[in-house]
């Protein structure tokens, strides 16, 4: 079995991880300084979100130079050092490839925007206005507003699926594709372990842009409903795989918003284009129909389980997935999936068991291993994330009060996961000696790495235990998945079975005791429990239990 199926991936958001320059934002050397800490979690690969040179409109997802490190993070020598030091510890570095778009400050775009007849004129998605001079289509960009921006020099619009400063690259152009593969191979040659491929669902554009159905007060149509995973995308990606992946010991994980179970084989099966694809539905159970932060839908455990279960069965025979409950775009899991009055330590442990026991590669997001939770800044101006502002404005335009709009931001802002890592209880949580770019979560005196290192019952030590446990029990890595009580809104019960054993995982998501059918524990031995003891036939509030039957 490939190394990346057996290991644990840690997602690092460098800006908030560890600052070695006393500048209030993290550095590459900061990551290097924490490699032993990451090793203690059993991490075999670190995915770092973009550290390329960038104006940081979207914190690095707007790349100005794919071959250079942004000075705020350090330089190429720091990057080489990180890759080398990680390798010594048997950890590989995974880079983020932002290939749907670049920054508008990228030399490619500057040239492309300068005239209609320069050599890179066709490197981005340029279109003439409609007859009345308005944008070519009514698409709303993912960060709000029209997805088109006017360029005076060319007297044309360019497409930006995200912010206006993130123009979309034109994948139809062979030279563009070649330039992107060259970028990827430059990093492969540095000895990295793989790529997380950003926003890849959006690379295929229609020849003619048609208007979509208006679905907001701004008179625009959601690009997500019209512009994702278009026919022909897999041809691009097959070529990408051939040029970048074939014959190399790396993995590719695609951010493939909206690939459903039925299509999965084409994306990650034996002839698939990626090694893993990021599944989205379980991470946003409240946004099944739209992503409006003030309009979350009600959901229950059954809704959360439904997609997890169908994807788990789908990859029993073919394909693979990252297993994740947090990333840099989502709220903290203890705040997201549980009410505020629920014991966060127990909730964090319960979710740790779920994550480490499902089939797939666990992707732990920084701070998750100590149970970090959401923030709630009082003023919208205390936020940094571009989408927090656009969601806030959208909510106001739709008639929500400032208070309601801010509540939406509190619940779903991407900054919830981007607050500085809480290393200790000193000033700025030991993240930096200078005032951080984003305020530290107030709870850092209670929730921090140092304190948890010293507490055998901490979330951190529980993660470490589970990680060792997963290595010891092959069934948790290679075993088949089978679930029970799929309709239950209280418990999640499933097995992982290989030729040696069946491990049964029983999770009570409720804050009250739940009885379980004795048949689930018949002839099974206790392996691990998140509580001090387990009483047969019942699960304590938020209890996570692992039992085993040897074959
Ligand atoms: C997905 C990334 O995870 C997110 O942070 C970014 O804003 C968009 N893609 C655009 O690159």
């Amino acid at each position: 079995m490939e190394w990346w199926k057996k290991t644990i991936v840690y997602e690092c958001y460098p800006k908030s991880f560890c600052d070695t320059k006393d500048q209030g934002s993290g550095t590459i050397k900061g990551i290097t300084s924490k490699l032993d800490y990451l090793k203690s979690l059993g991490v075999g690969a670190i995915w770092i979100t973009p550290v390329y040179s960038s104006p940081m409109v979207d914190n690095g997802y707007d790349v100005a130079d794919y071959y250079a490190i942004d000075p705020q993070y350090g330089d190429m020598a720091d990057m080489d050092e990180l890759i080398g030091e990680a390798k010594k510890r048997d950890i590989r570095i995974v880079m983020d490839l932002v290939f749907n778009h670049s920054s508008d400050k990228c030399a490619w775009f500057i040239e492309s925007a300068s005239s209609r007849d320069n050599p890179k004129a066709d490197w981005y998605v340029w279109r003439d206005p409609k007859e009345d001079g308005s944008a070519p289509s009514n698409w709303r960009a993912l960060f709000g507003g029209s997805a088109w921006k006017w360029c005076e020099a060319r007297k044309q619009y360019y497409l930006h699926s995200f912010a206006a400063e993130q123009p979309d690259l034109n994948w139809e152009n062979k030279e563009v594709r070649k330039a992107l593969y060259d970028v990827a191979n430059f990093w492969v040659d540095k000895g990295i372990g793989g790529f997380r491929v950003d926003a890849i669902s959006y690379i295929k554009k229609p020849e003619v842009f048609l208007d979509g159905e208006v679905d907001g007060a701004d008179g625009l149509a959601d690009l997500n409903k019209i512009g994702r995973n278009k026919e022909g995308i897999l041809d691009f990606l097959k070529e990408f795989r051939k040029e970048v992946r074939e014959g190399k010991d790396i993995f590719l994980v695609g951010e493939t918003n909206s690939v459903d179970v039925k299509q999965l084989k084409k994306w990650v099966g034996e002839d698939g284009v990626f090694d893993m694809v990021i599944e989205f539905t379980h991470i946003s159970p409240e946004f099944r129909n739209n992503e409006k932060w003030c309009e979350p839908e009600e959901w229950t455990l059954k809704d959360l389980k439904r997609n997890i279960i169908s994807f788990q069965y789908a990859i029993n025979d073919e394909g693979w997935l990252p297993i994740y409950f947090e990333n840099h775009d989502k709220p903290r899991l203890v705040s997201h999936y549980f009410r505020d009055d629920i014991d966060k330590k127990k909730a964090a442990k319960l979710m740790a068991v779920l994550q480490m026991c499902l089939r797939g590669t666990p992707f732990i997001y920084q701070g998750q291993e100590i149970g970090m939770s959401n923030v709630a800044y009082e003023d919208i101006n205390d936020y940094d994330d571009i989408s927090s502002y656009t969601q806030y404005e959208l909510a106001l335009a739709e008639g929500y009060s400032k208070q309601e709009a801010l509540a939406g931001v509190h619940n779903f802002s991407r900054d919830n996961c981007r607050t500085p890592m809480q290393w200790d209880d000193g000033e700025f949580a030991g993240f930096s000696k200078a005032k951080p770019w984003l305020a530290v979560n107030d709870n850092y005196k209670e929730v921090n790495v140092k304190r948890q290192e010293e507490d055998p019952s901490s979330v951190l030590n529980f993660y470490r235990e589970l990680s060792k446990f997963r290595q010891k029990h092959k069934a948790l890595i290679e075993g088949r998945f089978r679930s029970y009580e799929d309709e239950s809104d209280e418990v999640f019960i499933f097995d992982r079975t290989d030729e040696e054993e069946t491990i049964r995982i029983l999770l009570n998501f409720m804050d009250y005791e739940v009885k379980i059918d004795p048949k689930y524990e018949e002839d099974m031995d206790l392996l691990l429990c998140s509580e001090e003891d387990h009483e047969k036939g019942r699960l304590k509030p938020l209890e996570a239990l692992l039992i085993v039957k040897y074959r």
Side-chain angles (χ1 to χ4, degrees):
M1 188 175 243
E2 298 89 334
W3 65 270
W4 43 266
K5 289 186 175 167
K6 295 190 262 191
T7 198
I8 291 173
V9 176
Y10 188 87
E11 183 193 348
C12 176
Y13 197 70
K15 198 169 178 179
S16 300
F17 191 60
C18 177
D19 174 16
T20 49
K21 292 212 281 192
D22 304 343
Q23 61 185 8
S25 64
T27 57
I28 291 172
K29 277 196 178 299
I31 308 174
T32 311
S33 74
K34 299 292 183 187
L35 285 172
D36 291 330
Y37 168 75
L38 297 176
K39 188 74 196 167
S40 80
L41 275 166
V43 165
I46 308 169
W47 151 31
I48 52 175
T49 59
V51 286
Y52 313 103
S53 125
S54 162
M56 303 287 163
V57 170
D58 187 18
N59 279 342
Y61 282 97
D62 45 325
V63 180
D65 183 349
Y66 293 89
Y67 292 97
I69 299 295
D70 196 88
Q72 78 160 255
Y73 292 118
D75 56 24
M76 198 56 94
D78 295 345
M79 193 66 214
D80 291 334
E81 182 188 41
L82 171 62
I83 296 170
E85 285 300 313
K87 202 168 264 167
K88 282 186 199 158
R89 293 162 176 85
D90 205 17
I91 297 176
R92 305 182 209 207
I93 298 300
V94 173
M95 300 292 280
D96 210 313
L97 282 185
V98 191
F99 278 1
N100 174 65
H101 45 269
S102 72
S103 160
D104 61 343
K105 300 292 179 297
C106 178
W108 299 344
F109 183 74
I110 294 171
E111 189 175 338
S112 187
S114 65
S115 68
R116 288 192 190 206
D117 52 14
N118 70 79
K120 293 200 169 46
D122 189 35
W123 276 43
Y124 290 81
V125 184
W126 296 99
R127 290 290 186 280
D128 292 330
K130 281 184 183 161
E131 265 175 24
D132 64 359
S134 63
S137 73
N138 68 351
W139 293 17
R140 178 189 307 111
L142 285 138
F143 291 155
S146 167
W148 296 96
K149 187 167 175 192
W150 178 250
C151 169
E152 194 50 40
R154 292 184 55 135
K155 301 240 176 306
Q156 273 184 318
Y157 283 89
Y158 70 84
L159 178 74
H160 58 90
S161 297
F162 293 86
E165 295 85 351
Q166 294 166 297
D168 283 32
L169 285 151
N170 179 17
W171 275 68
E172 303 294 336
N173 182 322
K174 233 172 149 180
E175 286 173 30
V176 170
R177 301 202 302 273
K178 161 92 173 53
L180 295 175
Y181 307 152
D182 286 350
V183 166
N185 284 319
F186 168 82
W187 289 100
V188 172
D189 291 345
K190 281 197 171 284
I192 61 154
F195 294 110
R196 178 263 191 189
V197 192
D198 182 67
I200 203 69
S201 293
Y202 302 95
I203 58 171
K204 180 77 191 178
K205 323 288 183 200
E207 182 52 40
V208 180
F209 286 84
L210 299 173
D211 282 350
E213 197 184 318
V214 174
D215 59 6
D218 53 8
L220 299 172
D222 185 359
L223 185 152
N224 254 334
K225 294 187 189 140
I226 329 161
R228 267 190 326 212
N229 299 336
K230 291 283 188 210
E231 187 71 38
I233 187 172
L234 289 169
D235 296 331
F236 285 156
L237 292 174
K238 274 181 198 147
E239 183 185 84
F240 169 70
R241 185 174 181 90
K242 186 166 163 285
E243 298 293 330
V244 173
R245 169 71 173 83
E246 246 176 54
K248 295 166 194 153
D249 186 22
I250 61 168
F251 70 81
L252 295 179
V253 49
E255 196 200 18
T256 51
N257 202 339
S258 91
V259 168
D260 67 24
V261 148
K262 283 186 238 106
Q263 305 160 325
L264 197 62
K265 281 200 171 147
K266 291 191 197 148
W267 292 78
V268 289
E270 271 142 32
D271 302 317
V273 286
F274 288 113
D275 300 295
M276 301 182 245
V277 289
I278 299 177
E279 201 283 299
F280 270 64
T281 43
H282 75 282
I283 198 86
S284 301
E286 60 285 277
F287 296 127
R288 297 194 287 281
N289 294 307
N290 70 61
E291 273 266 0
K292 292 182 184 174
W293 290 357
C294 279
E295 294 171 27
E297 288 170 61
E298 290 289 323
W299 62 274
T300 64
L301 179 63
K302 202 165 38 184
D303 298 317
L304 180 67
K305 288 195 306 187
R306 188 175 306 121
N307 285 300
I308 297 180
I309 290 171
S310 59
F311 275 94
Q312 285 288 299
Y313 279 117
I315 61 165
N316 258 341
D317 294 312
E318 211 182 321
W320 202 253
L321 292 176
I323 304 298
Y324 76 106
F325 294 99
E326 277 185 13
N327 67 26
H328 64 285
D329 292 332
K330 292 292 160 197
R332 289 289 183 182
L333 69 84
V334 290
S335 309
H336 187 191
Y337 297 113
F338 301 89
R339 286 194 327 264
D340 215 33
D341 59 325
I342 298 248
D343 183 329
K344 293 201 169 38
K345 187 170 165 185
K346 285 184 196 276
K349 289 186 178 181
L350 179 86
M351 293 300 287
V353 173
L354 176 60
Q355 181 171 19
M356 295 283 205
C357 295
L358 286 172
R359 189 174 163 90
T361 302
F363 275 47
I364 298 174
Y365 178 72
Q366 69 184 41
Q368 182 190 330
E369 75 278 19
I370 54 168
M372 281 176 66
S373 54
N374 281 0
V375 283
Y377 302 132
E378 278 168 24
D379 194 320
I380 182 69
N381 294 310
D382 294 334
Y383 285 84
D384 172 88
D385 164 34
I386 181 169
S387 68
S388 298
Y389 285 94
T390 51
Q391 287 285 358
Y392 181 80
E393 293 302 331
L394 189 66
L396 294 183
E398 296 199 329
Y400 289 95
S401 68
K402 281 189 177 170
Q403 213 182 354
E404 287 166 324
L406 194 59
V409 172
H410 286 167
N411 287 333
F412 300 110
S413 170
R414 305 194 301 175
D415 283 341
N416 280 312
C417 258
R418 298 177 180 185
T419 61
M421 180 71 185
Q422 295 165 205
W423 294 106
D424 60 39
D425 61 2
E427 202 183 8
F428 308 131
F431 158 71
S432 170
K433 293 203 178 73
K435 188 169 181 260
W437 68 281
L438 190 66
V440 172
N441 191 318
D442 284 342
N443 66 9
Y444 73 95
K445 289 215 189 274
E446 291 78 52
V447 180
N448 64 65
V449 171
K450 183 155 175 281
R451 190 167 168 161
Q452 296 201 12
E453 297 266 11
E454 290 155 7
D455 171 8
S457 77
S458 66
V459 177
L460 177 60
N461 282 319
F462 192 65
Y463 265 95
R464 287 174 172 155
E465 187 184 345
L466 280 175
S467 153
K468 288 203 192 97
F469 198 80
R470 183 172 176 272
Q471 285 311 316
K472 219 169 90 197
H473 291 273
K474 219 167 40 65
L476 291 179
I477 296 172
E478 299 186 8
R480 294 180 73 78
F481 170 90
R482 177 183 173 187
S483 61
Y484 306 90
E485 309 278 352
D486 291 358
E487 294 303 305
S488 167
D489 262 328
E490 296 177 319
V491 293
F492 196 166
I493 304 179
F494 60 96
D495 287 349
R496 298 294 309 282
T497 303
D498 69 358
E499 58 289 344
E500 280 164 24
E501 57 188 7
T502 290
I503 298 184
R504 180 159 298 153
I505 297 100
L506 301 100
L507 308 168
N508 176 12
F509 273 73
M510 299 297 110
D511 58 345
Y512 50 82
E513 189 173 282
V514 171
K515 287 210 172 58
I516 43 167
D517 192 322
K519 72 175 184 206
Y520 291 120
E521 293 184 89
E522 246 164 54
D523 302 326
M524 310 277 299
D525 297 327
L526 183 79
L527 263 186
L528 191 144
C529 181
S530 63
E531 293 292 309
E532 263 172 29
D533 51 37
H534 167 69
E535 222 179 298
K536 274 199 170 174
R538 59 194 69 220
L539 292 172
K540 297 194 183 73
L542 300 163
E543 177 175 340
L545 175 72
L546 269 74
I547 50 183
V548 66
K549 182 189 281 173
Y550 301 100
R551 287 151 66 92

